[in-house]
Amino acid sequence: MLALWLGGAFALGLFVRQLGLPPLVGFLAAGFAFSAAGVEGTPLLDELAHAGVLMLLFAVGLKLRFKNLVRAEVWGTALAHLAVVSAIGAAIFHWGAGVQWPVAVALAVAMGFSSTVLASKLLEARRELRAFHGRVAIGILIVQDVVAVGLLALNGAHAPSPFAMLLLFLPLAQPILNKLIDLVGHEELLVLFGAVLALAGGWLFEYLGLSSELGALLFGMLLASHKRAQELSTAIWGLKEFLLIGFFLSIGLIGLPTREILLFAIAASLLVPLKSLLF
């Protein structure tokens, strides 16, 4: 089955690349094609997909620093954007669709969120993660993730563990991680070190009731100031790209989009220029 998934992803990835599109579009198309053919995903593919996402965000964290998150253009833009989108969206959901105010507000806030994974992947592919707009964009996405965790906790859907407060002491682990990266050398252990940190960070945050993706990203940020951060990012690049194929395949394997989903996607796409203008 693994050979079938990889073969289909390669074929369609190569095809869309000849059309000038990113290969990830082909990976998504392969997932849809497998779904239409009756092929179903497996727990193995889900594990690979999740690991790929954690590796991606860990790599993004290696290019960021904590000081980038406290800049006014990051948290100010993120909160102002969510406030405007929430106000307009809640009014539309309440008066236009007859949804009760609490549900309307929750739906409107959710509409203000963006995909951290897709945005990170596109910025990385364009080598723009270290650019000013790339750092600001990732910072805004992190603020959105924090708001999402708070929203879920407020609604009682996924309340964090009381022990999650201990993560405030996470920066104290930075000297230990710096020492470890100095000891692992430049070969296989360096790749394994990055993979262990990404997956361990995701597991820790998930265990404490927080986003595993946020955990992997923050663990990467702990090493962002180290002189070997770029070397580590380069070392795990191939493994990360391979695992991410599973992520895009798993999205397509969820099933072909229905008519309602397509109409909603078209309507949402028409709002992208307005959202860009707002940012």
Side-chain angles (χ1 to χ4, degrees), residues 86-156:
S86 300
I88 297 176
I92 294 174
F93 282 122
H94 179 70
W95 286 311
V99 179
Q100 295 296 319
W101 275 115
V103 178
V105 171
L107 289 173
V109 173
M111 289 291 292
F113 295 149
S114 303
S115 172
T116 305
V117 176
L118 290 178
S120 300
K121 176 64 177 169
L122 291 174
L123 286 169
E124 183 188 46
R126 298 176 181 178
R127 302 181 182 276
E128 296 177 352
L129 278 175
R130 291 186 179 273
F132 175 74
H133 65 275
R135 298 195 306 270
V136 171
I138 295 300
I140 290 173
L141 291 168
I142 294 174
V143 174
Q144 289 183 357
D145 288 341
V146 173
V147 172
V149 171
L151 183 64
L152 290 172
L154 185 64
N155 286 276

Side-chain angles (χ1 to χ4, degrees), residues 40-52:
E40 297 182 352
T42 66
L44 172 61
L45 183 62
D46 293 337
E47 289 288 337
L48 292 175
H50 188 56

Side-chain angles (χ1 to χ4, degrees), residues 16-54:
V16 301
R17 189 174 186 275
Q18 306 310 308
L19 302 178
L21 297 173
L24 65 87
V25 177
F27 303 155
L28 285 170
F32 287 131
F34 286 138
S35 177
V39 177
E40 297 182 352
T42 66
L44 172 61
L45 183 62
D46 293 337
E47 289 288 337
L48 292 175
H50 188 56
V53 170
L54 296 183

Side-chain angles (χ1 to χ4, degrees), residues 128-273:
E128 296 177 352
L129 278 175
R130 291 186 179 273
F132 175 74
H133 65 275
R135 298 195 306 270
V136 171
I138 295 300
I140 290 173
L141 291 168
I142 294 174
V143 174
Q144 289 183 357
D145 288 341
V146 173
V147 172
V149 171
L151 183 64
L152 290 172
L154 185 64
N155 286 276
H158 192 58
S161 165
F163 294 104
M165 294 295 294
L166 294 175
L167 293 174
L168 294 174
F169 297 98
L170 194 59
L172 297 178
Q174 190 174 33
I176 300 175
L177 297 180
N178 288 339
K179 182 64 175 177
L180 284 174
I181 195 174
D182 288 332
L183 293 174
V184 297
H186 303 272
E187 299 175 349
E188 296 91 342
L189 275 179
L190 183 61
V191 179
L192 186 58
F193 174 69
V196 168
L197 276 188
L199 299 182
W203 174 85
L204 176 62
F205 272 61
E206 188 173 15
Y207 181 77
L208 295 174
L210 299 173
S211 166
S212 59
E213 291 82 4
L214 183 61
L217 189 142
L218 291 180
F219 263 64
M221 292 177 66
L222 288 175
L223 286 170
S225 59
H226 195 278
K227 61 183 179 181
R228 296 187 62 192
Q230 181 58 46
E231 181 187 355
L232 177 57
S233 177
T234 302
I236 65 174
W237 187 87
L239 177 61
K240 174 203 64 183
E241 292 295 302
F242 175 75
L243 292 174
L244 275 175
I245 296 174
F247 170 72
F248 294 110
L249 281 173
S250 65
I251 293 178
L253 283 168
I254 293 174
L256 294 173
T258 63
R259 179 174 176 273
E260 291 75 14
I261 293 177
L262 287 174
L263 291 175
F264 183 81
I266 293 173
S269 298
L270 295 176
L271 294 176
V272 169

